[in-house]
């Protein structure tokens, strides 16, 4: 994730001590767009090694992050996740430090690397992992007590659509209406990740062998239709992203999508309504992340966020993916 809040080495040392960790060095992590993250090297690490990820959550309140800790502990043993460490300086078990009305967590580093590209095998494995996530989190009931509230994307839409060319606004609105017309009440819901992009996964990649070794960033876990979570994940895992500024299009691989769905259904079967809803969900999921990226640009501008550690993903790529998916809905 990008780094928005700056901390001193003395602050890092104090916070890490509360988790029982001897701090040596903090290394900024610049991928992503929402929270401030650093790798933490300890006094026991060798040169270049880091043992933990230190996260300062810029938007989610500490109560949401406590829920996230419960969710991650529910998944331990079922999926490759790293659960937040408990504080060692209090009587009550807690996983969160409160700092300037924000939450701080420390989690062990998972091994592996972010994939530069995906394969059909990786897509199938990711589909199976997402289904296991959906099934496992059903044990947390009522699910609304654990998931955070869904973001009000309709408000972002209403703000941003005023500044769009008419063809872009029309595309967004027609996809939104098509989503609203789905039989949403028949689509199963539960706790969903809602941000399972490839850069939120880790893999051991060697000798043409790909093994999933880490699932990251559970800050957006919310109660949502499972097929929306599937669509969000497919959109990234099955797409090769071009350079929008160079006029390159996105390349969506339908064979990868088939592999993903086969992997998913090896663990959880989709019902007929979910299968019929998926094409529209793929388009709507692209619209949501189109709006998300526009929203990040909006808040960076209004809050004066600048600097080399701020990364903004291009919203035009998601706009083009939304248009691709909508063209297939129209053809159906």
């Amino acid at each position: 994730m990008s780094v928005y809040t700056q901390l001193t080495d003395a602050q890092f040392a104090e916070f890490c001590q509360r988790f029982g960790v001897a701090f040596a060095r903090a290394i900024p992590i610049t991928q992503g767009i929402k929270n401030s993250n650093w790798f933490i090297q300890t006094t026991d690490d060798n040169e270049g090694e880091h043992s933990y990820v230190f996260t300062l959550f810029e938007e989610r309140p500490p109560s949401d992050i406590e829920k996230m800790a419960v969710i991650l502990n529910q998944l331990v043993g079922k999926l490759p996740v790293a659960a937040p460490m408990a504080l060692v300086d209090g009587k009550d078990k807690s996983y969160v430090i409160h700092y300037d009305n924000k939450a701080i967590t420390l989690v062990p580093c998972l091994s592996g690397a972010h994939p530069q590209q995906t394969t059909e095998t990786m897509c199938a494995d990711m589909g199976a992992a997402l289904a296991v996530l959906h099934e496992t989190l059903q044990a947390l009931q009522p699910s609304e007590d654990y998931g955070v509230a869904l973001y009000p994307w309709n408000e972002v839409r209403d703000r941003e659509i005023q500044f769009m060319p008419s063809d872009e606004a029309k595309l967004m609105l027609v996809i939104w209406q098509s989503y609203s017309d789905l039989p949403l009440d028949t689509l199963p819901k539960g706790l969903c990740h809602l941000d399972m992009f490839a850069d939120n996964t880790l893999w051991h990649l060697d000798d043409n062998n790909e093994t999933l070794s880490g699932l990251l960033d559970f800050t957006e876990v919310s109660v949502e239709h499972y097929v929306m979570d599937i669509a969000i994940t497919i959109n990234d895992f099955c797409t090769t992203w071009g350079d929008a500024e160079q006029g390159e299009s996105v390349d969506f691989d339908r064979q990868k999508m088939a592999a993903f769905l086969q992997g998913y259904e090896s663990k959880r079967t989709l019902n007929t309504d979910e299968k019929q809803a998926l094409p529209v969900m793929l388009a709507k999921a692209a619209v949501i992340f189109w709006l998300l990226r526009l929203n990040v640009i909006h808040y960076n501008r209004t809050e004066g966020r600048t600097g080399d550690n701020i990364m903004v993903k291009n919203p035009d790529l998601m706009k083009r993916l939304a248009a691709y998916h909508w063209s297939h809905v129209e053809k159906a």
Side-chain angles (χ1 to χ4, degrees):
M1 306 293 171
S2 300
V3 173
Y4 301 112
T5 299
Q6 302 299 322
L7 299 175
T8 66
D9 281 352
Q11 287 175 307
F12 278 118
E14 176 188 351
F15 294 143
C16 287
Q17 184 178 19
R18 296 188 62 188
F19 290 108
V21 169
F23 169 80
R25 184 184 176 205
I27 303 167
I29 304 173
T30 57
Q31 293 85 7
I33 55 177
K34 286 190 176 181
N35 302 312
S36 296
N37 287 263
W38 298 261
F39 287 123
I40 298 296
Q41 289 181 349
T42 74
T43 55
D44 295 326
D45 289 338
N46 295 322
E47 184 65 27
E49 291 183 353
H50 34 72
S51 296
Y52 303 95
V53 173
F54 182 109
T55 300
L56 191 151
F57 295 90
E58 299 288 353
E59 298 178 6
R60 294 295 190 194
S63 58
D64 284 355
I65 307 309
E66 292 280 6
K67 294 176 183 178
M68 182 191 72
V70 174
I71 287 168
L72 282 163
N73 278 285
Q74 183 70 26
L75 294 172
V76 168
K78 301 277 186 152
L79 291 170
V81 298
M85 297 175 63
L87 295 169
V88 299
D89 61 353
K91 294 181 180 179
D92 298 327
K93 191 169 187 179
S94 176
Y95 303 96
V96 173
I97 290 175
H98 294 217
Y99 169 74
D100 194 23
N101 296 318
K102 299 177 181 180
I104 289 172
T105 63
L106 193 69
V107 303
C109 279
L110 295 167
S111 62
H114 301 300
Q116 297 302 308
Q117 58 186 8
T118 62
T119 65
E120 288 184 29
T121 298
M122 293 170 70
C123 289
D125 290 347
M126 190 63 245
L130 191 66
V132 170
L133 183 151
H134 291 163
E135 295 277 79
T136 302
L137 294 184
Q138 289 180 18
L140 298 178
Q141 295 294 331
S143 54
E144 289 78 7
D145 288 351
Y146 297 92
V148 300
L150 290 171
Y151 200 83
W153 294 115
N154 59 311
E155 296 177 9
V156 182
R157 176 201 64 197
D158 292 345
R159 183 190 70 220
E160 294 294 336
I161 213 165
Q162 304 173 63
F163 309 105
M164 289 180 183
S166 59
D167 58 333
E168 294 183 11
K170 181 180 178 180
L171 173 67
M172 182 173 288
L173 289 174
V174 73
I175 291 173
W176 206 287
Q177 186 60 52
S178 183
Y179 164 82
S180 299
D181 290 342
L182 291 172
L184 297 173
D185 291 343
T186 69
L187 303 178
K189 300 177 75 171
L191 291 169
C192 293
H193 185 280
L194 299 181
D195 194 20
M196 196 67 82
F197 277 35
D199 61 6
N200 274 331
T201 66
L202 298 172
W203 300 77
H204 290 148
L205 307 171
D206 51 69
D207 297 327
N208 296 319
N209 183 35
E210 305 124 353
T211 304
L212 180 64
S213 61
L215 302 177
L216 310 174
D217 194 0
F218 283 74
T219 59
E220 303 297 327
V221 173
S222 304
V223 176
E224 179 58 289
H225 299 106
Y226 293 134
V227 68
M228 174 59 82
D229 209 14
I230 292 167
I232 288 170
T233 311
I234 284 175
N235 271 350
D236 192 58
F237 266 82
C238 302
T239 302
T240 299
W241 302 103
D243 187 335
E245 294 180 358
Q246 298 298 320
E248 298 178 11
S249 62
V250 298
D251 181 13
F252 186 80
D253 190 323
R254 305 194 78 83
Q255 287 184 293
K256 286 184 178 180
M257 180 173 71
F260 184 100
L261 292 171
Q262 184 176 15
Y264 187 93
E265 291 207 86
S266 71
K267 302 295 183 181
R268 176 185 170 268
T269 302
L270 296 170
N271 69 28
T272 300
D273 286 338
E274 287 179 295
K275 293 177 181 178
Q276 292 177 345
L278 181 59
V280 172
M281 285 290 188
L282 289 165
K284 175 67 181 307
V287 165
I288 291 299
F289 278 81
W290 176 10
L291 288 170
L292 184 153
R293 295 175 181 186
L294 291 172
N295 203 38
V296 170
I297 293 171
H298 169 78
Y299 278 106
N300 284 347
R301 181 174 63 248
T302 58
E303 297 181 18
R305 293 173 171 176
T306 59
D308 293 338
N309 287 331
I310 304 300
M311 186 180 82
V312 178
K313 294 184 177 181
N314 195 325
D316 283 351
L317 294 174
M318 282 295 173
K319 175 189 69 180
R320 295 178 188 190
L321 184 60
Y324 167 84
H325 285 313
W326 184 245
S327 71
H328 280 73
V329 171
E330 290 184 310
K331 292 175 184 176

